[in-house]
Amino acid sequence: MFKNCKNSNLKGNVGLGVCISFLTKSGYIVSLPLNDSQKYDVIFDDKNNLYKVQVKTTSYIKKGVYVVKMDTTTYNYTYFFDNSFVDFLFVFCENGDCYMIPSNIIECKSKLHLGKKYFKYKIIL
C-alpha cells in the first residue's frame, strides 16, 4: 500500500486521506486543522459533538501483528502519545486494514500492538 511513498510524510498523507474518506462516508462532517502543530489530524462532527482524531500509519509487523509507533520526534524532541489530547486514534495498516480506536482505552505511550484487544475496533471501508 505504501510502495510509492518515499517517506513517512507521504505515508501519513495516505492514512489521512483514508481517514477522511471513512468519516465522510460514515456521514460525519469533517474538518481539518490549518497547520500541523496540534496533536490531532482531523476533527469530525456528529451534529452533537466535535471529536479529535490522531491518524497513524504502519507497515511494521512483529510476531504477526502490526505495531504502531505512537511517539513523534520533532526538532530533536520526542512527544509520547497522550490519550487525553484526542478522542480517537485512526490507524491505517499497509495491508489496508483500518482501526478506529477510542483513545481512552489506549494505555501505551510509544508502541501499540494491534492484537486481539483491538480487533473489535477494526473497520470496513
Side-chain angles (χ1 to χ4, degrees), residues 102-121:
S103 63
N104 63 348
I105 68 154
I106 300 172
E107 298 168 354
C108 69
K109 301 288 182 197
S110 61
K111 285 189 172 71
L112 176 75
H113 297 257
L114 291 171
K116 291 180 195 175
K117 176 179 179 180
Y118 298 104
F119 284 169
K120 63 182 167 186
Y121 302 107

Side-chain angles (χ1 to χ4, degrees), residues 68-123:
V68 183
K69 183 180 177 288
M70 299 292 284
D71 55 337
T72 305
T73 303
T74 334
Y75 303 111
N76 297 325
Y77 185 79
T78 300
Y79 299 92
F80 293 98
F81 180 77
D82 182 341
N83 64 6
S84 67
F85 287 111
V86 296
D87 302 296
F88 291 93
L89 175 69
F90 182 91
V91 180
F92 182 61
C93 301
E94 186 170 33
N95 68 352
D97 287 352
C98 297
Y99 295 80
M100 186 72 157
I101 305 168
S103 63
N104 63 348
I105 68 154
I106 300 172
E107 298 168 354
C108 69
K109 301 288 182 197
S110 61
K111 285 189 172 71
L112 176 75
H113 297 257
L114 291 171
K116 291 180 195 175
K117 176 179 179 180
Y118 298 104
F119 284 169
K120 63 182 167 186
Y121 302 107
K122 193 172 178 181
I123 56 174

Side-chain angles (χ1 to χ4, degrees), residues 54-65:
Q54 187 174 76
V55 177
K56 294 285 188 183
T57 60
T58 185
S59 55
Y60 178 58
I61 297 175
K62 184 175 182 180
K63 297 182 182 179
V65 174

